Coordinates of all heavy atoms in Angstrom, one line a residue:
M1 N 110.9 -62.4 198.5 CA 112.4 -62.3 198.5 C 113.0 -63.6 198.2 O 114.1 -63.7 197.5 CB 112.9 -61.8 199.7 CG 114.3 -61.3 199.7 SD 114.5 -60.0 198.6 CE 116.2 -59.5 199.0
G2 N 112.5 -64.8 198.6 CA 113.1 -66.0 198.4 C 113.2 -66.4 196.9 O 114.2 -67.0 196.5
I3 N 112.2 -66.1 196.1 CA 112.2 -66.5 194.7 C 113.3 -65.7 194.0 O 114.0 -66.1 193.1 CB 110.8 -66.3 194.0 CG1 110.8 -66.9 192.6 CG2 110.4 -64.8 193.9 CD1 110.7 -68.4 192.6
V4 N 113.5 -64.4 194.4 CA 114.6 -63.6 193.8 C 115.9 -64.2 194.0 O 116.8 -64.3 193.2 CB 114.5 -62.1 194.3 CG1 115.7 -61.3 193.8 CG2 113.2 -61.5 193.9
M5 N 116.2 -64.6 195.3 CA 117.5 -65.2 195.6 C 117.7 -66.5 194.8 O 118.8 -66.9 194.3 CB 117.6 -65.5 197.1 CG 117.9 -64.2 197.9 SD 119.3 -63.3 197.3 CE 120.6 -64.5 197.7
F6 N 116.6 -67.3 194.7 CA 116.6 -68.6 194.0 C 117.0 -68.3 192.5 O 117.8 -69.0 192.0 CB 115.2 -69.2 194.1 CG 115.2 -70.6 193.5 CD1 115.8 -71.7 194.2 CD2 114.4 -70.9 192.3 CE1 115.8 -72.9 193.7 CE2 114.4 -72.2 191.9 CZ 115.1 -73.2 192.5
L7 N 116.4 -67.3 191.9 CA 116.8 -66.9 190.5 C 118.2 -66.4 190.4 O 118.9 -66.7 189.5 CB 115.7 -65.9 189.9 CG 114.4 -66.4 189.8 CD1 113.5 -65.3 189.3 CD2 114.2 -67.5 188.8
I8 N 118.6 -65.6 191.4 CA 120.0 -65.1 191.3 C 121.0 -66.3 191.4 O 122.0 -66.3 190.7 CB 120.2 -64.0 192.4 CG1 119.4 -62.7 192.1 CG2 121.7 -63.7 192.6 CD1 119.3 -61.7 193.1
I9 N 120.7 -67.1 192.4 CA 121.7 -68.3 192.6 C 121.6 -69.2 191.4 O 122.7 -69.7 190.9 CB 121.3 -69.0 193.9 CG1 121.6 -68.2 195.1 CG2 122.0 -70.4 193.9 CD1 121.1 -68.8 196.4
G10 N 120.4 -69.3 190.8 CA 120.4 -70.2 189.6 C 121.1 -69.5 188.4 O 121.9 -70.3 187.7
G11 N 121.0 -68.2 188.3 CA 121.7 -67.5 187.2 C 123.3 -67.6 187.4 O 124.0 -67.9 186.4
V12 N 123.7 -67.3 188.6 CA 125.1 -67.4 188.9 C 125.7 -68.8 188.7 O 126.7 -69.0 188.1 CB 125.4 -66.9 190.3 CG1 126.9 -67.1 190.6 CG2 125.1 -65.3 190.3
A13 N 124.9 -69.8 189.2 CA 125.4 -71.2 189.0 C 125.4 -71.6 187.6 O 126.4 -72.3 187.2 CB 124.4 -72.1 189.9
G14 N 124.4 -71.2 186.8 CA 124.5 -71.5 185.4 C 125.7 -70.9 184.6 O 126.3 -71.6 183.8
W15 N 125.9 -69.6 185.0 CA 127.1 -69.0 184.4 C 128.3 -69.6 184.8 O 129.3 -69.8 183.9 CB 127.1 -67.5 184.8 CG 128.2 -66.7 184.3 CD1 128.6 -66.3 183.1 CD2 129.4 -66.5 185.2 NE1 129.8 -65.7 183.1 CE2 130.3 -65.8 184.4 CE3 129.7 -66.7 186.5 CZ2 131.5 -65.3 184.8 CZ3 130.9 -66.2 186.9 CH2 131.8 -65.5 186.1
L16 N 128.5 -69.9 186.1 CA 129.7 -70.6 186.5 C 129.9 -71.9 185.9 O 131.0 -72.3 185.5 CB 129.7 -70.8 188.1 CG 130.0 -69.6 189.0 CD1 129.8 -69.9 190.4 CD2 131.5 -69.2 188.7
A17 N 128.8 -72.7 185.8 CA 128.9 -74.0 185.1 C 129.3 -73.9 183.7 O 130.1 -74.7 183.2 CB 127.6 -74.8 185.3
G18 N 128.8 -72.9 183.0 CA 129.1 -72.6 181.6 C 130.6 -72.3 181.4 O 131.3 -72.7 180.5
T19 N 131.1 -71.5 182.4 CA 132.5 -71.1 182.4 C 133.4 -72.3 182.7 O 134.4 -72.4 182.0 CB 132.7 -70.0 183.5 OG1 131.9 -68.9 183.1 CG2 134.1 -69.5 183.4
L20 N 133.1 -73.1 183.6 CA 133.8 -74.2 184.0 C 133.9 -75.3 183.0 O 134.9 -76.0 182.8 CB 133.4 -74.9 185.3 CG 133.5 -74.0 186.6 CD1 132.8 -74.6 187.8 CD2 135.0 -73.9 186.9
M21 N 132.8 -75.4 182.2 CA 132.7 -76.4 181.1 C 133.1 -75.9 179.8 O 132.8 -76.5 178.7 CB 131.3 -77.0 181.0 CG 130.8 -77.7 182.3 SD 131.8 -79.2 182.7 CE 131.3 -80.2 181.4
K22 N 133.9 -74.8 179.8 CA 134.4 -74.2 178.6 C 133.3 -73.7 177.5 O 133.5 -73.7 176.4 CB 135.4 -75.0 177.9 CG 136.5 -75.6 178.8 CD 137.5 -74.5 179.1 CE 138.7 -75.2 179.7 NZ 139.2 -74.5 180.9
G23 N 132.1 -73.5 178.1 CA 131.1 -73.0 177.2 C 130.8 -71.6 177.3 O 131.3 -71.0 178.3
G24 N 130.2 -70.9 176.4 CA 129.9 -69.5 176.5 C 128.6 -69.2 177.3 O 128.3 -68.1 177.5
G25 N 128.0 -70.2 177.8 CA 126.7 -70.0 178.5 C 125.5 -70.0 177.6 O 125.7 -70.2 176.4
F26 N 124.4 -69.8 178.1 CA 123.2 -69.9 177.3 C 122.4 -68.6 177.4 O 121.2 -68.6 177.1 CB 122.3 -71.0 177.8 CG 122.9 -72.4 177.6 CD1 123.4 -73.1 178.7 CD2 122.9 -73.0 176.4 CE1 124.0 -74.3 178.5 CE2 123.5 -74.2 176.2 CZ 124.1 -74.9 177.2
G27 N 123.0 -67.5 177.8 CA 122.2 -66.2 178.0 C 121.7 -66.2 179.3 O 121.7 -67.2 180.1
L28 N 121.1 -65.1 179.7 CA 120.6 -64.9 181.1 C 119.6 -66.0 181.5 O 119.6 -66.7 182.4 CB 120.1 -63.5 181.3 CG 119.5 -63.2 182.7 CD1 120.6 -63.3 183.7 CD2 118.9 -61.8 182.7
L29 N 118.5 -66.1 180.6 CA 117.5 -67.0 180.9 C 117.9 -68.4 180.8 O 117.5 -69.2 181.7 CB 116.3 -66.8 179.9 CG 115.0 -67.6 180.1 CD1 114.4 -67.3 181.5 CD2 114.0 -67.4 179.0
G30 N 118.7 -68.8 179.9 CA 119.3 -70.1 179.7 C 120.1 -70.5 180.9 O 120.1 -71.6 181.5
N31 N 120.9 -69.6 181.4 CA 121.8 -69.8 182.6 C 120.9 -70.0 183.9 O 121.2 -70.9 184.7 CB 122.7 -68.6 182.9 CG 123.9 -68.7 181.9 OD1 124.1 -69.6 181.2 ND2 124.6 -67.6 181.8
I32 N 119.8 -69.2 184.0 CA 119.0 -69.4 185.1 C 118.3 -70.9 185.1 O 118.3 -71.5 186.1 CB 117.9 -68.3 185.2 CG1 118.5 -67.0 185.5 CG2 116.8 -68.6 186.2 CD1 117.6 -65.8 185.4
I33 N 117.9 -71.2 183.9 CA 117.3 -72.5 183.8 C 118.2 -73.6 184.1 O 117.9 -74.6 184.8 CB 116.6 -72.7 182.4 CG1 115.4 -71.7 182.3 CG2 116.2 -74.1 182.1 CD1 114.8 -71.6 180.8
V34 N 119.4 -73.5 183.5 CA 120.5 -74.5 183.7 C 120.8 -74.5 185.2 O 121.0 -75.6 185.8 CB 121.8 -74.2 182.9 CG1 122.9 -75.1 183.4 CG2 121.5 -74.5 181.5
G35 N 120.9 -73.4 185.8 CA 121.2 -73.3 187.3 C 120.1 -73.9 188.1 O 120.4 -74.6 189.1
I36 N 118.8 -73.7 187.8 CA 117.7 -74.2 188.6 C 117.6 -75.7 188.4 O 117.5 -76.5 189.5 CB 116.4 -73.6 188.2 CG1 116.4 -72.1 188.7 CG2 115.2 -74.3 188.7 CD1 115.3 -71.3 188.1
I37 N 117.8 -76.2 187.2 CA 117.8 -77.7 187.1 C 119.1 -78.3 187.7 O 118.9 -79.3 188.4 CB 117.8 -78.0 185.6 CG1 116.4 -77.6 185.0 CG2 118.0 -79.5 185.3 CD1 116.4 -77.7 183.5
G38 N 120.2 -77.5 187.6 CA 121.3 -78.0 188.3 C 121.2 -78.1 189.8 O 121.7 -79.0 190.5
A39 N 120.5 -77.1 190.4 CA 120.3 -77.1 191.8 C 119.5 -78.3 192.3 O 119.8 -79.0 193.2 CB 119.5 -75.8 192.3
V40 N 118.5 -78.7 191.5 CA 117.7 -79.9 191.8 C 118.6 -81.1 191.6 O 118.6 -82.0 192.5 CB 116.5 -80.0 190.9 CG1 115.8 -81.4 191.0 CG2 115.5 -78.8 191.2
L41 N 119.4 -81.2 190.5 CA 120.3 -82.4 190.3 C 121.3 -82.4 191.3 O 121.7 -83.5 191.9 CB 120.8 -82.2 188.9 CG 121.8 -83.4 188.4 CD1 120.9 -84.7 188.4 CD2 122.3 -83.0 187.1
G42 N 122.0 -81.3 191.7 CA 122.9 -81.2 192.7 C 122.5 -81.6 194.1 O 123.1 -82.3 194.8
G43 N 121.2 -81.1 194.4 CA 120.7 -81.6 195.7 C 120.4 -83.0 195.8 O 120.5 -83.7 196.8
F44 N 119.9 -83.6 194.7 CA 119.7 -85.0 194.6 C 121.0 -85.8 194.8 O 121.1 -86.7 195.6 CB 119.0 -85.4 193.3 CG 118.8 -86.9 193.1 CD1 117.8 -87.5 193.8 CD2 119.5 -87.6 192.2 CE1 117.6 -88.9 193.7 CE2 119.3 -89.0 192.1 CZ 118.3 -89.6 192.8
A45 N 122.0 -85.4 194.0 CA 123.3 -86.1 194.1 C 123.9 -85.9 195.5 O 124.5 -86.9 196.0 CB 124.3 -85.5 193.0
F46 N 123.8 -84.8 196.0 CA 124.4 -84.6 197.4 C 123.7 -85.4 198.4 O 124.3 -85.9 199.4 CB 124.4 -83.1 197.8 CG 125.6 -82.2 197.3 CD1 126.2 -82.6 196.1 CD2 126.0 -81.1 198.0 CE1 127.3 -81.9 195.7 CE2 127.1 -80.3 197.4 CZ 127.8 -80.8 196.4
G47 N 122.3 -85.5 198.2 CA 121.5 -86.3 199.1 C 121.9 -87.7 199.0 O 122.0 -88.5 200.1
L48 N 122.2 -88.3 197.9 CA 122.7 -89.7 197.7 C 124.0 -89.9 198.5 O 124.3 -91.0 198.9 CB 122.8 -90.0 196.3 CG 121.5 -90.2 195.5 CD1 121.8 -90.4 194.0 CD2 120.7 -91.3 196.1
L49 N 124.9 -88.9 198.4 CA 126.2 -89.0 199.0 C 126.2 -88.6 200.4 O 127.2 -88.8 201.1 CB 127.2 -88.1 198.3 CG 127.4 -88.4 196.8 CD1 128.3 -87.3 196.1 CD2 128.1 -89.7 196.7
G50 N 125.1 -88.1 201.0 CA 125.0 -87.8 202.4 C 125.6 -86.4 202.7 O 126.0 -86.2 203.9
I51 N 125.8 -85.6 201.8 CA 126.4 -84.3 201.9 C 125.3 -83.3 202.1 O 124.3 -83.2 201.3 CB 127.3 -83.9 200.8 CG1 128.3 -85.0 200.5 CG2 127.8 -82.5 201.0 CD1 129.1 -84.8 199.2
T52 N 125.4 -82.4 203.1 CA 124.4 -81.3 203.3 C 125.1 -80.0 203.3 O 126.3 -79.9 203.7 CB 123.7 -81.4 204.7 OG1 124.8 -81.4 205.7 CG2 122.9 -82.7 204.8
T53 N 124.5 -78.9 202.8 CA 125.0 -77.6 202.7 C 124.0 -76.6 203.2 O 122.8 -76.9 203.1 CB 125.4 -77.2 201.3 OG1 124.2 -77.3 200.4 CG2 126.5 -78.1 200.7
D54 N 124.4 -75.5 203.8 CA 123.6 -74.5 204.3 C 124.0 -73.1 203.8 O 125.2 -73.0 203.4 CB 123.7 -74.5 205.9 CG 123.0 -75.7 206.5 OD1 122.0 -76.2 205.9 OD2 123.5 -76.1 207.5
G55 N 123.1 -72.3 203.8 CA 123.3 -70.9 203.4 C 123.4 -70.6 201.9 O 123.2 -71.6 201.1
I56 N 123.6 -69.4 201.6 CA 123.7 -69.0 200.2 C 124.9 -69.6 199.5 O 124.8 -70.1 198.3 CB 123.8 -67.5 200.0 CG1 122.5 -66.9 200.6 CG2 124.1 -67.0 198.6 CD1 122.5 -65.4 200.7
I57 N 126.1 -69.7 200.1 CA 127.3 -70.3 199.5 C 127.1 -71.7 199.3 O 127.4 -72.3 198.2 CB 128.6 -70.0 200.4 CG1 128.8 -68.5 200.6 CG2 129.8 -70.7 199.8 CD1 129.0 -67.7 199.3
G58 N 126.5 -72.4 200.2 CA 126.2 -73.9 200.1 C 125.3 -74.1 198.9 O 125.4 -75.0 198.1
S59 N 124.2 -73.3 198.8 CA 123.2 -73.4 197.7 C 124.0 -73.2 196.4 O 123.7 -73.8 195.4 CB 122.1 -72.5 198.0 OG 121.3 -72.7 199.1
L60 N 124.8 -72.2 196.4 CA 125.5 -71.9 195.1 C 126.4 -73.0 194.7 O 126.5 -73.3 193.6 CB 126.3 -70.6 195.3 CG 127.0 -70.1 194.1 CD1 126.1 -69.7 192.9 CD2 127.9 -68.8 194.4
I61 N 127.1 -73.6 195.7 CA 128.0 -74.7 195.3 C 127.2 -75.9 194.9 O 127.6 -76.5 193.9 CB 128.9 -75.0 196.6 CG1 129.9 -73.9 196.9 CG2 129.6 -76.4 196.4 CD1 130.6 -74.1 198.2
T62 N 126.1 -76.2 195.5 CA 125.3 -77.3 195.1 C 124.7 -77.1 193.8 O 124.8 -78.0 192.9 CB 124.1 -77.5 196.1 OG1 124.7 -77.7 197.4 CG2 123.2 -78.7 195.8
A63 N 124.2 -75.9 193.5 CA 123.6 -75.6 192.2 C 124.7 -75.6 191.1 O 124.4 -76.2 190.0 CB 122.9 -74.2 192.2
T64 N 125.8 -75.1 191.3 CA 126.9 -75.1 190.4 C 127.4 -76.5 190.0 O 127.5 -76.9 188.8 CB 128.1 -74.3 190.8 OG1 127.7 -73.0 191.1 CG2 129.2 -74.2 189.8
I65 N 127.5 -77.3 191.0 CA 128.0 -78.7 190.8 C 126.9 -79.4 190.0 O 127.2 -80.2 189.1 CB 128.4 -79.4 192.1 CG1 129.7 -78.9 192.7 CG2 128.5 -81.0 191.9 CD1 130.0 -79.3 194.0
G66 N 125.7 -79.3 190.4 CA 124.6 -79.9 189.6 C 124.5 -79.4 188.2 O 124.3 -80.2 187.3
A67 N 124.7 -78.1 188.0 CA 124.7 -77.6 186.6 C 125.9 -78.1 185.8 O 125.7 -78.4 184.5 CB 124.7 -76.0 186.6
V68 N 127.0 -78.3 186.5 CA 128.2 -78.9 185.7 C 127.9 -80.3 185.3 O 128.1 -80.7 184.2 CB 129.5 -78.8 186.5 CG1 130.6 -79.7 186.0 CG2 129.9 -77.3 186.7
I69 N 127.3 -81.1 186.2 CA 126.8 -82.4 185.9 C 125.8 -82.4 184.7 O 126.0 -83.2 183.8 CB 126.2 -83.2 187.1 CG1 127.3 -83.4 188.2 CG2 125.6 -84.5 186.8 CD1 126.7 -83.8 189.6
L70 N 124.9 -81.5 184.8 CA 123.9 -81.3 183.7 C 124.6 -81.0 182.4 O 124.2 -81.7 181.3 CB 122.9 -80.3 184.1 CG 121.8 -80.0 183.0 CD1 120.9 -81.2 182.8 CD2 120.9 -78.8 183.5
L71 N 125.5 -80.1 182.3 CA 126.1 -79.7 181.1 C 127.0 -80.9 180.6 O 127.1 -81.1 179.4 CB 127.0 -78.5 181.3 CG 126.1 -77.2 181.5 CD1 127.1 -76.0 181.7 CD2 125.2 -76.9 180.3
F72 N 127.6 -81.7 181.5 CA 128.4 -82.8 181.1 C 127.5 -83.8 180.4 O 127.9 -84.4 179.3 CB 129.1 -83.4 182.4 CG 129.9 -84.6 182.0 CD1 131.2 -84.5 181.4 CD2 129.5 -85.8 182.4 CE1 131.9 -85.6 181.1 CE2 130.2 -87.0 182.1 CZ 131.5 -86.8 181.5
I73 N 126.3 -84.1 180.9 CA 125.4 -85.0 180.4 C 124.9 -84.6 179.0 O 124.8 -85.3 178.1 CB 124.3 -85.4 181.4 CG1 124.7 -86.1 182.6 CG2 123.2 -86.1 180.7 CD1 123.8 -86.2 183.7
V74 N 124.6 -83.3 179.0 CA 124.2 -82.7 177.7 C 125.2 -82.8 176.6 O 124.9 -83.2 175.4 CB 123.7 -81.2 177.9 CG1 123.5 -80.5 176.5 CG2 122.5 -81.2 178.7
G75 N 126.4 -82.6 177.1 CA 127.6 -82.7 176.1 C 127.8 -84.2 175.6 O 128.0 -84.3 174.4
I76 N 127.6 -85.1 176.4 CA 127.7 -86.5 176.0 C 126.6 -86.9 175.1 O 126.8 -87.5 174.0 CB 127.7 -87.5 177.2 CG1 129.0 -87.3 178.0 CG2 127.4 -88.9 176.9 CD1 129.0 -88.1 179.3
V77 N 125.3 -86.4 175.4 CA 124.2 -86.8 174.5 C 124.4 -86.0 173.1 O 124.0 -86.6 172.1 CB 122.9 -86.3 175.2 CG1 121.7 -86.3 174.2 CG2 122.6 -87.1 176.4
K78 N 124.9 -84.8 173.1 CA 125.0 -84.1 171.8 C 126.1 -84.8 171.0 O 125.9 -84.8 169.8 CB 125.5 -82.6 172.1 CG 124.4 -81.7 172.5 CD 125.0 -80.4 172.7 CE 124.5 -79.4 171.8 NZ 125.0 -78.0 172.0
K79 N 127.0 -85.4 171.5 CA 128.1 -86.1 170.8 C 127.6 -87.4 170.1 O 128.1 -87.9 169.1 CB 129.3 -86.4 171.6 CG 130.2 -85.1 171.9 CD 131.3 -85.5 172.7 CE 132.1 -84.2 173.1 NZ 133.3 -84.5 174.0
S80 N 126.6 -88.0 170.7 CA 126.1 -89.2 170.2 C 125.2 -89.1 169.1 O 124.7 -88.2 168.6 CB 125.3 -90.0 171.2 OG 125.5 -89.8 172.5

């Protein structure tokens, strides 16, 4: 059951990040991948700042913020 929640949170986080960054998203699989990578990136960034989150909502917030950071970096690299 844990992997299913991980994929659902990744998909929702990727979709939210695509919406927040004014993008159309990357489709279901792309959103899940962006969300999963974003969760890792967000967890790393939150760890550096000393911020901890618990539960599904905390995981979703962490993954979404990480995915937004990831999409921002990708946008900068694409422009160069």
Side-chain angles (χ1 to χ4, degrees):
M1 188 67 167
I3 190 77
V4 172
M5 284 304 295
F6 189 68
L7 292 175
I8 290 171
I9 289 173
V12 172
W15 173 78
L16 280 172
T19 302
L20 291 172
M21 296 299 289
K22 306 285 190 228
F26 296 103
L28 180 62
L29 185 60
N31 285 346
I32 291 172
I33 292 170
V34 167
I36 291 170
I37 295 171
V40 173
L41 184 61
F44 178 73
F46 276 27
L48 288 176
L49 297 172
I51 300 170
T52 59
T53 59
D54 289 327
I56 294 173
I57 300 298
S59 297
L60 183 61
I61 291 169
T62 302
T64 302
I65 291 173
V68 166
I69 293 169
L70 176 65
L71 291 177
F72 180 73
I73 293 169
V74 167
I76 289 175
V77 170
K78 279 180 121 178
K79 287 181 182 179
S80 337

